[in-house]
Amino acid sequence: MLIAEDFSISAPRDHGLAPIKAVHNPDYVDFLPDAHARFVADVGPDALAIPTAHPGRRRGKEPKDIHGQLGWWMTDTSTPLTAGSWDAAYWSAQTAVEGAEEILSGARAAYSLCRPPGHHAMRDCSNGFCFFNNACIAAHHLTSKYRKVALIDVDVHTGNGSLDILYERGDIFFCSLHPDPKTYPTFYLGHADETGAGEGEGASMNILLEQGAGESDVLAALDKGLAAIRDFGAEALVVSLGFDMAADDPLAAVAVYPEGFAEMARRLAAMNLPTVLVQEGGYLGPSLTDNARAFLTTFREAIR
């Protein structure tokens, strides 16, 4: 689709581990490169590296055994390690950094097509298909130039990892639109009363949607989030861009159609901020290509 619509496409440069470790626990980052090889050496090549033990409420101390470490650094079973996990996660993060670099070099906008996605990854653990929090990495990278940055998450699921990472930061405003975590994944985090702590008090915002909400409800929630970003005084914007709000998405709980995604793009572009679009969810529903095309082409036209 990107080629057909004449988007310019380039591979990311290698920006190293520093931008990743600026956001994530360095010990967590260092665990990942050889974790799968260590697991295979212990149990053989046919087993899937999924944690079967977790530390619980009292974390204790990190073990040295690979099986214990899997549970220490991985919160759930949806992010198994494979032979290609490290390369995929590393280059996905580099793609986000490259998008931020484009903005730092003067571009009005950049689209980072990250896979795997990132917004569920917390500071020190993988979660929900995500190893590194690409959007937070991009947002932090932008703070080298911009005093205030905003990150808005329009994926249908809570940006729980982003909330975790940014909760005590006052220089990056975080807003997530999602159904109530009391009854919808990712559960646990993303409640309306979670507004930040310490220096980040008031810099986190969770806007809850009713399951089954339509486009008008989603756009009203988006407007509320964008108004808060304006009040914050953001100088640059990162968008955790999920297409899983689509009505036919296998994991969706709301109903947005291509024109709805196009209108979201118009309103985000109207913020008139340097913007990094970081790809998050969007599963293999019939309308995925149409939704991506509607958003990205509309955003491109709106900023010209």
Side-chain angles (χ1 to χ4, degrees), residues 143-172:
T143 61
S144 65
K145 177 178 180 180
Y146 299 102
R147 188 174 57 90
K148 290 187 174 183
V149 175
L151 168 53
I152 187 164
D153 191 318
V154 298
D155 184 283
V156 76
H157 300 95
T158 311
N160 57 323
S162 303
L163 185 67
D164 172 67
I165 290 169
L166 301 176
Y167 204 65
E168 296 185 8
R169 290 189 64 158
D171 57 340
I172 302 176

Side-chain angles (χ1 to χ4, degrees), residues 86-283:
W86 168 252
D87 283 343
Y90 180 83
W91 284 104
S92 187
Q94 299 305 317
T95 300
V97 177
E98 188 69 22
E101 281 288 318
E102 289 288 318
I103 298 305
L104 293 174
S105 297
R108 168 64 174 80
Y111 171 49
S112 294
L113 180 49
C114 297
R115 274 294 177 266
H119 70 147
H120 300 313
M122 301 183 185
R123 181 177 181 271
D124 61 357
C125 58
S126 67
N127 178 256
F129 318 138
C130 304
F131 290 99
F132 294 141
N133 196 306
N134 305 311
C136 284
I137 291 169
H140 176 79
H141 206 66
L142 290 174
T143 61
S144 65
K145 177 178 180 180
Y146 299 102
R147 188 174 57 90
K148 290 187 174 183
V149 175
L151 168 53
I152 187 164
D153 191 318
V154 298
D155 184 283
V156 76
H157 300 95
T158 311
N160 57 323
S162 303
L163 185 67
D164 172 67
I165 290 169
L166 301 176
Y167 204 65
E168 296 185 8
R169 290 189 64 158
D171 57 340
I172 302 176
F173 184 89
F174 175 67
C175 176
S176 179
L177 321 181
H178 53 264
D180 194 331
K182 290 179 181 177
T183 58
Y184 188 75
T186 54
F187 306 123
Y188 313 121
L189 294 179
H191 299 277
D193 62 356
E194 294 175 275
T195 59
E199 293 182 3
E201 179 62 47
S204 290
M205 184 178 195
N206 296 289
I207 304 176
L208 304 189
L209 300 166
E210 295 290 335
Q211 292 194 46
E215 289 181 343
S216 61
D217 301 306
V218 172
L219 291 171
L222 177 64
D223 285 344
K224 183 177 179 181
L226 296 181
I229 289 170
R230 292 188 190 96
D231 290 343
F232 176 71
E235 300 166 355
L237 180 66
V238 177
V239 180
S240 273
L241 179 60
F243 294 121
D244 47 4
M245 283 195 181
D248 62 2
D249 190 276
L251 300 182
V254 301
V256 179
Y257 297 88
E259 179 50 38
F261 283 106
E263 183 58 28
M264 291 170 72
R266 292 185 192 99
R267 297 185 189 195
L268 287 161
M271 295 292 288
N272 198 30
L273 294 173
T275 302
V276 185
L277 306 172
V278 177
Q279 189 61 54
E280 301 287 2
Y283 302 91

